[in-house]
Amino acid sequence: MRKVLALFALISILVLAACGGGNNDNASSNNAGNNDGNAEEVTIKVGASSVPHAEILEEAAPILAEEGITLEIEPYEDYVLPNDDLASGDLDANYFQHIPYLEQTIEDTGYELTHIGGIHIEPIAAYSKSIDSIDNIKDGTEVVLSNSVADHGRVLQLFEANELITLKDGVEEGKAELDDIEDNPKNLTFSPDYEPAFLPEIYESEEDVLVVINTNYAIGAGLDPVNDSIFREGDDSPYVNVLAVQEGKEDDAALNKLLEVLRSEEIQDFMVENYDGAVVPVSE
């Protein structure tokens, strides 16, 4: 009889252990994946350029923690891998790019990505070690810019706004290519062959050239886009940096809470106070 009872007890323990294990697995899955807005803690992994995006996220992390959301920040030094990793599911979101770049990536790769809102603008600017004003740009000066096609229209628009070139009539704003230059009175030579991260090095090493540097790389290299540049975009630039996600994740509660925090007065004040006009917050 004791053997029968012992066997029954062993079976009961095994059954209870199996049931308990199943419940724990489900809870873990809910915490890690669905982020459905329940009180349970969730973790979101967000890829970002080291400067300024990752710095801004670090400022937002304690606020999210109060909401039960752990923010894991993955810093990047290039513009390609963050979208690769978002598309593969290694990231829950990324924060480093403007809308035209995201759209160009989707067109080139077929990635099913989108964004849930804009956070800030980084006005792009032109720099030079030896040229100190637009009036002192010599005939035939070389203009060095990134090999990111999504930025070419932006750069050309900037040069047209400063009356250095004229674009052909009918060219869609932000979509211009080098072949769309109509008038080039200073005979500027545009060299779109460089990885964005290397542009600050070219600025440091080359004389008598204009180098158009994305603001995140400029800040990372110790440049002040407001005071060190020859000319730059205005604060009304349409190139808003966004929080990108996979399609189907637009309503994710934790990711939308992150967007809400990044647009909060506290974080916007942080941008204004710490980047001196190089990072301009937006709220839509």
Side-chain angles (χ1 to χ4, degrees):
M1 181 67 176
R2 285 197 297 270
K3 290 182 179 180
V4 173
L5 291 174
L7 180 60
F8 178 79
L10 178 59
I11 293 171
S12 298
I13 290 170
L14 291 173
V15 170
L16 288 172
C19 292
N23 289 337
N24 287 339
D25 287 344
N26 288 336
S28 175
S29 175
N30 287 336
N31 284 341
N34 292 331
N35 299 351
D36 58 4
N38 292 336
E40 64 215 21
E41 292 189 1
V42 297
T43 297
I44 53 175
K45 186 176 182 181
V46 180
S49 296
S50 296
V51 180
H53 306 78
E55 295 175 342
I56 296 168
L57 289 173
E58 287 169 3
E59 194 72 14
I63 304 173
L64 286 168
E66 295 176 1
E67 302 285 342
I69 300 170
T70 298
L71 178 59
E72 184 178 338
I73 304 166
E74 185 70 27
Y76 290 83
E77 301 302 331
D78 80 309
Y79 289 165
V80 176
L81 290 176
N83 279 331
D84 290 347
D85 290 346
L86 179 58
S88 70
D90 289 340
L91 299 173
D92 295 302
N94 68 42
Y95 170 39
F96 77 98
Q97 64 192 320
H98 53 63
I99 295 173
Y101 184 83
L102 175 61
E103 291 176 342
Q104 186 67 52
T105 297
I106 293 169
E107 181 180 333
D108 292 343
T109 64
Y111 288 160
E112 295 181 347
L113 305 178
T114 185
H115 71 89
I116 57 175
I119 300 162
H120 75 261
I121 297 165
E122 296 176 21
I124 201 168
Y127 303 81
S128 177
K129 274 289 187 181
S130 56
I131 303 169
D132 58 7
S133 71
I134 291 178
D135 292 338
N136 290 330
I137 298 173
K138 297 177 181 179
D139 188 85
T141 294
E142 181 182 10
V143 180
V144 177
L145 58 154
S146 84
N147 57 9
S148 171
V149 175
D151 274 337
H152 292 175
R154 181 183 191 181
V155 172
L156 294 174
Q157 188 174 319
L158 172 65
F159 273 68
E160 184 177 47
N162 285 276
E163 301 182 348
L164 290 167
I165 62 170
T166 302
L167 297 173
K168 296 175 182 177
D169 289 339
V171 176
E172 185 178 348
E173 184 175 359
K175 298 289 187 180
E177 301 176 357
L178 296 179
D179 290 341
D180 292 320
I181 297 174
E182 181 75 43
D183 296 311
N184 185 0
K186 288 184 178 288
N187 298 306
L188 302 176
T189 301
F190 291 85
S191 301
D193 306 316
Y194 300 89
E195 290 292 332
F198 295 146
L199 294 173
E201 295 181 20
I202 297 171
Y203 161 78
E204 291 290 346
S205 61
E206 298 289 336
E207 297 284 338
D208 299 320
V209 299
L210 290 173
V211 186
V212 185
I213 307 176
N214 298 80
T215 293
N216 59 307
Y217 290 120
I219 295 173
L223 291 169
D224 180 341
V226 175
N227 296 310
D228 292 336
S229 66
I230 301 172
F231 55 94
R232 70 186 193 111
E233 287 177 323
D235 293 348
D236 58 349
S237 166
Y239 291 87
V240 179
N241 282 222
V242 296
L243 189 65
V245 301
Q246 290 181 334
E247 287 187 357
K249 295 293 184 68
E250 296 93 330
D251 296 326
D252 183 283
L255 296 177
N256 278 276
K257 177 58 69 172
L258 170 60
L259 178 65
E260 178 184 321
V261 169
L262 290 172
R263 288 176 167 177
S264 68
E265 183 177 357
E266 182 174 348
I267 299 302
Q268 291 196 339
D269 286 347
F270 171 81
M271 295 183 202
V272 171
E273 292 167 6
N274 284 271
Y275 299 108
D276 298 320
V279 176
V280 181
V282 302
S283 58
E284 60 182 39

